[in-house]
Amino acid sequence: MAALMEREALATEARYAPVTAERRVRDDLEVSLPKPYLARALVAPDTYYPTGTPGHKHYNMSVLQQHAAFFDFDDNGIVYPWETYTGLRAIGFNIISSLIMAIVINGGLSYPTQPGWLPSPLFPIYIYNIHRAKHGSDSRTYDTEGRYVPVNLENMFSKYARTVPDKFTLGELWDMTEGNRDAFDIFGWIASKMEWGILYVLARDDEGMLSKEAVRRCFDGSLFEYCAMMNAVGPSSRREELLPKSKPSPPVCRQQNPNTTIIIDSAVMKTFRRLILFGFKKFNKFQGLQCTDAPPSNHTRRPLESV
């Protein structure tokens, strides 16, 4: 009787809830990942990397802040639309898609991260407050403070990766976003599908599958650094030297079209920035406000010892 009660206390499936058998959760994680239920503030571990991404520096930022910090090119803790555009181009997206995504991303995430009540016409994203931009209907791998919850990453694949363990097909990604939906959360439904769609386009392999390694490294932002590095090196034999010596296969990154030029990118970015600054000046003139720079942020990508 005691043994039966113990088994029932740890059961992960219920007879009259078939979905609990269809979407299985891991019960063996502590063998290779200490305290998988514990939300990590600084690193994004999994069963292959229990201490996080090798060589990736966290600079005392939360995992969610690290994810966003790749796009902060001037290291001031604020991501403007032209920086988002530059980052998307660096990791391999073309001009048109980068421009559209920069508008959508900053348009959707800017206001929740603002330090005050008034919105800014420059649409900045404040990395210090990026946890406020977390939306519903997600995988819950980030908690509400921007920490990383390893068990939710592992359960994501145990529930939905049916074709190959630790890899998603496009159909399985769709099933996952459908399974994560919260009732009446239309913004979360759209945002989740858009985010996973972008990641799939960026990091799918030659077989059209998205690996757990790419997903994990997206959470801490190291995937973006890796893709930017691979695009900077280009299709040469030196690329092989940059592949991480890891147990899972290294991420596959979208490659830029070699026919697009830096001159075109620079012109697009300058035009984008001028349009927003023009709107900002008109807004300040209308409001009778003085045009000033955004307040400084507590964020820095430099180690604290060097500050």
Side-chain angles (χ1 to χ4, degrees), residues 37-48:
Y37 51 83
L38 182 66
R40 267 64 163 189
L42 302 177
V43 299
D46 67 357
T47 52
Y48 294 116

Side-chain angles (χ1 to χ4, degrees), residues 266-306:
S266 178
V268 170
M269 188 173 64
K270 286 180 180 178
T271 303
F272 194 17
R273 185 171 185 174
R274 285 171 181 170
L275 285 173
I276 294 180
L277 288 175
F278 177 77
F280 185 41
K281 290 177 181 178
K282 290 293 184 182
F283 176 82
N284 279 336
K285 184 177 179 181
F286 177 76
Q287 294 289 334
L289 301 173
Q290 182 179 2
C291 180
T292 60
D293 291 331
S297 166
N298 293 332
H299 158 70
T300 177
R301 243 187 287 189
R302 295 172 295 169
L304 292 180
E305 304 90 84
S306 63

Side-chain angles (χ1 to χ4, degrees), residues 14-307:
R15 180 185 304 174
Y16 297 115
V19 69
T20 61
E22 294 169 6
R23 304 175 188 173
R24 299 176 182 273
V25 295
R26 296 281 298 270
D27 60 2
D28 59 346
L29 292 177
E30 292 196 80
V31 174
S32 53
L33 180 60
K35 297 184 179 180
Y37 51 83
L38 182 66
R40 267 64 163 189
L42 302 177
V43 299
D46 67 357
T47 52
Y48 294 116
Y49 294 106
T51 58
T53 304
H56 177 65
K57 297 181 180 180
H58 56 72
Y59 297 122
N60 266 320
M61 291 186 291
S62 72
V63 177
L64 180 54
Q65 287 176 327
Q66 294 170 48
H67 173 86
F70 168 79
F71 298 92
D72 180 19
F73 286 93
D74 56 7
D75 197 28
N76 65 350
I78 306 171
V79 179
Y80 291 100
W82 50 87
E83 292 180 294
T84 306
Y85 169 85
T86 303
L88 291 167
R89 289 291 292 134
I91 62 179
F93 288 102
N94 63 41
I95 293 173
I96 301 301
S97 59
S98 297
L99 188 61
I100 294 172
M101 286 189 286
I103 293 171
V104 172
I105 290 170
N106 281 73
L109 302 184
S110 175
Y111 185 70
T113 67
Q114 295 297 300
W117 289 100
L118 288 177
S120 169
L122 290 179
F123 296 103
I125 297 173
Y126 287 78
I127 296 177
Y128 186 72
N129 297 325
I130 191 64
H131 61 281
R132 297 180 184 173
K134 183 180 181 296
H135 58 77
S137 300
D138 64 345
S139 66
R140 274 73 173 176
T141 307
Y142 291 128
D143 69 7
T144 51
E145 293 75 41
R147 291 181 288 255
Y148 170 91
V149 186
V151 66
N152 289 341
L153 174 75
E154 301 295 341
N155 285 339
M156 188 192 314
F157 284 87
S158 67
K159 288 180 179 181
Y160 298 101
R162 309 291 173 77
T163 307
V164 178
D166 295 346
K167 285 188 177 182
F168 281 140
T169 64
L170 182 58
E172 290 165 349
L173 269 180
W174 180 272
D175 292 340
M176 183 194 66
T177 57
E178 288 291 292
N180 289 339
R181 295 199 315 175
D182 296 329
F184 307 110
D185 179 26
I186 297 176
F187 177 83
W189 301 346
I190 297 172
S192 181
K193 281 185 167 55
M194 185 187 74
E195 290 163 357
W196 284 103
I198 291 172
L199 179 58
Y200 177 81
V201 171
L202 173 66
R204 70 185 186 276
D205 61 21
D206 294 335
E207 298 176 348
M209 306 192 80
L210 181 65
S211 68
K212 186 176 77 169
E213 176 68 357
V215 173
R216 183 189 67 80
R217 294 185 67 170
C218 177
F219 278 111
D220 68 6
S222 62
L223 175 69
F224 304 142
E225 299 168 358
Y226 176 78
C227 289
M229 178 178 63
M230 297 296 283
N231 273 303
V233 171
S236 70
S237 58
R238 289 174 53 206
R239 289 180 58 195
E240 299 301 321
E241 301 173 5
L242 300 177
L243 295 177
K245 302 300 186 292
S246 57
K247 187 172 181 179
S249 300
V252 177
C253 298
R254 182 185 180 90
Q255 297 297 306
Q256 286 187 8
N257 185 345
N259 296 324
T260 57
T261 64
I262 297 176
I263 297 176
I264 296 176
D265 274 339
S266 178
V268 170
M269 188 173 64
K270 286 180 180 178
T271 303
F272 194 17
R273 185 171 185 174
R274 285 171 181 170
L275 285 173
I276 294 180
L277 288 175
F278 177 77
F280 185 41
K281 290 177 181 178
K282 290 293 184 182
F283 176 82
N284 279 336
K285 184 177 179 181
F286 177 76
Q287 294 289 334
L289 301 173
Q290 182 179 2
C291 180
T292 60
D293 291 331
S297 166
N298 293 332
H299 158 70
T300 177
R301 243 187 287 189
R302 295 172 295 169
L304 292 180
E305 304 90 84
S306 63
V307 175

